[in-house]
Structure formats: C-alpha cells, structure tokens
Amino acid sequence: DGGITQSPKYLFRKEGQNVTLSCEQNLNHDAMYWYRQDPGQGLRLIYYSQIVNDFQKGDIAEGYSVSREKKESFPLTVTSAQKNPTAFYLCASSTNSWTGDQPQHFGDGTRLSIL
Amino acid sequence: KQEVTQIPAALSVPEGENLVLNCSFTDSAIYNLQWFRQDPGKGLTSLLLIQSSQREQTSGRLNASLDKSSGRSTLYIAASQPGDSATYLCAAEKGGSTLGRLYFGRGTQLTVWP
C-alpha cells in the first residue's frame, strides 16, 4: 500500500541534543512538508520541499533543519536551538498541481517530548 | 498572510443530527479549500477538496461548499454517527510561488453521542 511512514512514533530529547525525525513516502509525490501541532492549535508549517535538492522555510523554521536528497525522503532535525520542541510533528506529501486538485497526504506523526 | 478561522471550536450533539462546521479565510486568492479529519493522536485524513473554480463537493454523508467572494467554506455532515467524532480541520492552499502551502484553522472538535 502507498503511504507516508513517520518514525519513531514517540521520541524523547535531552537538553542540548539534536534529534532527527524520519519521513518516507512511496506515493511518488514531488512535494513534502513538515508541520508542528501544539494542543488546541492548527498545524504550522516548518519547512517544505517542492522538488528534490530544494526546500523553503515555512512560518516557524528557527531551530529546525531539513534535507531532501531523495524524492521519497524528507528528514527533519530538531536542533538544540529549538527551545520548546515538545509537540506533535506531522509530515505530508502531495503532487505539485497548478490546477489545485491534489490533496495533501499525511503520516501518523511523531510525538516529541523533553526529558 | 492567509488567516483561517473555524467556528465553533467544539460541538457536542446527539446521534442523527445534521451538522454544519464553518471555516473562513481572509485571502480569497486560493487554489483550493481542503477539509481534513483528525482522530486523537493520529495524522490527518483528507475528506474533501474544493478547487477554486468549484462551488461544492460531496462524499457520502459529507458535503462541503466554497464561497470565495465571502471567504467562507462550510462542511455539512448529514445524519451524524458516533464514529464521526473527531477534530475537523480546514485548510486553504495558495498557489504561485507558494504552491502547495496550506494554511490551517485550529479545528472543530466534534463529539457525537449515542
């Protein structure tokens, strides 16, 4: 079955540590996205990539980094510079469409907590 | 910047009622309006996508409408069931250089009791 796989499901970070969240898709989608969700909040865009080897900052990119070396993979690193990383992180992908007819597909998320 | 608002924030109804969830957006230059469902601790599931040239979309007991000029979309759920209990999120997509970027509302948390 095609889909988006996020791992791990739960992750704990120590002070001063960088952690990497994995996102893999086998939908052959060009575009991939990382969102952060806090309780009672909508999703906020961290980074997105419309094509391999290219990515753009979203609204809350500070303290995060990404890479897009392969079409199917878009890992997110939460650096020690991110002072409030506790949140639910969601990865999504979609086909680039200039007609606006393609929905985004989401993974099941990674919940990151501070030790 | 696009601002998306959803009303109400929470809704609790008995089984069988017909429901209307509201979504408003500030910038009418959108490519589409998407409705998603989120179960607790899970990712989002796409329900309906209305392109900017369309007025509504239907899937089963769900119907979503779009009025770009007034910056509003509504999600209508007919004959609600306990299994419909979830958080419903709407998102507006802008095109151009920001193709694919979605701007989300905070969601409506729906509880349908038997």
Side-chain angles (χ1 to χ4, degrees), chain B residues 27-49:
Chain B
D27 186 349
S28 62
I30 62 171
Y31 261 29
N32 62 53
L33 194 292
Q34 300 185 35
W35 283 93
F36 296 90
R37 169 185 172 136
Q38 185 177 30
D39 293 292
K42 297 291 188 180
L44 278 63
T45 300
S46 178
L47 296 174
L48 290 166
L49 180 152

Side-chain angles (χ1 to χ4, degrees), chain B residues 2 16 19 21-22 25 30 45 53 60 67-68 80 83-84 86 90-91 94 100:
Chain B
Q2 179 74 272
L19 311 171
L21 307 182
N22 296 293
F25 47 95
I30 62 171
T45 300
S53 59
D67 184 342
K68 276 183 56 178
S80 59
D84 294 330
C90 70
K94 281 184 69 71

Side-chain angles (χ1 to χ4, degrees), chain B residues 61-81:
Chain B
R61 294 182 294 107
L62 304 180
N63 175 276
S65 66
L66 175 64
D67 184 342
K68 276 183 56 178
S69 61
S70 66
R72 294 180 183 178
S73 177
T74 60
L75 179 66
Y76 177 81
I77 303 176
S80 59
Q81 303 171 357

Side-chain angles (χ1 to χ4, degrees), chain A residues 18-86:
Chain A
N18 293 351
V19 293
T20 298
L21 285 60
S22 171
C23 178
E24 303 277 332
Q25 55 98 0
N26 61 4
L27 299 168
N28 199 34
H29 285 166
D30 294 304
M32 298 186 74
Y33 312 83
W34 274 106
Y35 296 93
R36 170 179 172 143
Q37 187 176 35
D38 294 282
Q41 302 290 320
L43 276 66
R44 292 184 290 169
L45 184 65
I46 305 173
Y47 270 99
Y48 65 109
S49 168
Q50 294 171 323
I51 196 169
V52 174
N53 292 323
D54 188 41
F55 50 82
Q56 288 79 42
K57 293 181 179 179
D59 297 322
I60 55 167
E62 186 174 350
Y64 300 96
S65 66
V66 294
S67 63
R68 185 83 187 280
E69 297 176 1
K70 298 187 297 182
K71 186 176 185 178
E72 57 271 21
S73 179
F74 192 40
L76 173 73
T77 296
V78 184
T79 74
S80 57
Q82 173 48 246
K83 298 306 179 187
N84 184 23
T86 297

Side-chain angles (χ1 to χ4, degrees), chain B residues 83-104:
Chain B
D84 294 330
S85 298
T87 297
Y88 291 81
L89 294 142
C90 70
E93 178 178 345
K94 281 184 69 71
S97 62
T98 59
L99 180 67
R101 278 203 64 164
L102 290 180
Y103 294 86
F104 281 87

